């Protein structure tokens, strides 16, 4: 249960209801990081409405523990089925977890869109694997 970056994805009936986390850990243990990310995913994900109390029983949770992050130099090194992508341009950054994109082109496009970076702009690219747990239901 060492510290690690974690993302928690909340799913309802096959549709994402929230997804938040961090690449670098902010808590002392992975368990604490999971708890923190789950609360953020349910309450402050800017892409989704907050989860309501009435929805809690029907939700699935997917936990993605972030592995080693390494810089890449070319889109040819991307494999969106196995590798997540993190892009950076100065203070702006965004990521997609493994499996969220079908093609490297879409992976880059969506990351730039999420970060508010113009599509023509060159960015630093990093890839990572995840250990994924779930989906699980809370009882």
């Amino acid at each position: 249960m060492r510290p690690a970056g974690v993302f928690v994805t909340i799913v309802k009936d096959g549709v994402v209801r929230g997804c938040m986390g961090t690449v670098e850990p902010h808590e002392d243990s992975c368990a604490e990081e999971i708890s923190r990310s789950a609360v953020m995913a349910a309450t402050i994900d800017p892409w989704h409405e907050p989860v309501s109390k009435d929805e809690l029983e029907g939700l699935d949770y997917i936990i993605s523990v972030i592995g080693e992050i390494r810089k890449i130099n070319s889109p040819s090194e991307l494999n969106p089925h196995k590798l997540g992508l993190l892009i950076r341009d100065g203070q702006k950054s965004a990521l997609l977890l493994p499996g969220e994109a079908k093609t490297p082109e879409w992976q880059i496009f969506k990351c730039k869109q999420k970060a508010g970076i113009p599509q023509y702009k060159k960015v630093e690219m990093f890839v990572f694997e995840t250990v994924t747990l779930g989906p699980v239901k809370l009882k």
Side-chain angles (χ1 to χ4, degrees):
M1 297 309 300
R2 66 171 174 72
V6 170
F7 277 76
V8 174
T9 305
I10 302 172
V11 179
K12 180 180 181 181
D13 300 325
V15 177
V16 173
R17 283 292 288 113
C19 182
M20 291 286 291
T22 59
V23 179
E24 300 290 331
H26 292 272
E27 303 296 334
D28 292 333
S29 73
C30 195
E32 291 172 305
E33 199 70 43
I34 291 167
S35 177
R36 177 180 183 273
S37 295
V39 170
M40 292 187 330
T43 60
I44 63 169
D45 180 343
W47 301 99
H48 300 92
E49 291 293 317
V51 172
S52 72
K53 198 176 197 180
D54 296 336
E55 292 179 277
L56 292 177
E57 220 172 272
L59 300 177
D60 291 320
Y61 299 84
I62 301 168
I63 299 163
S64 301
V65 181
I66 306 298
E68 179 184 343
I69 299 168
R70 64 179 173 84
K71 187 173 183 173
I72 62 170
N73 297 310
S74 166
S76 67
E77 297 177 69
L78 294 173
N79 179 346
H81 303 288
K82 286 183 64 178
L83 299 172
L85 173 64
L86 166 66
I87 64 164
R88 287 192 183 132
D89 178 43
Q91 295 296 315
K92 294 181 178 183
S93 67
L95 69 76
L96 287 180
L97 295 169
E100 288 190 286
K102 293 186 179 181
T103 67
E105 296 79 17
W106 195 86
Q107 197 176 32
I108 294 168
F109 172 85
K110 194 64 176 175
C111 278
K112 285 181 177 180
Q113 183 182 50
K114 285 174 71 174
I117 299 169
Q119 292 299 323
Y120 64 83
K121 195 136 191 222
K122 188 172 172 82
V123 293
E124 286 185 292
M125 295 187 293
F126 304 84
V127 293
F128 57 90
E129 292 184 20
T130 60
V131 173
T132 303
L133 310 168
V136 295
K137 286 196 182 296
L138 299 182
K139 303 227 186 226

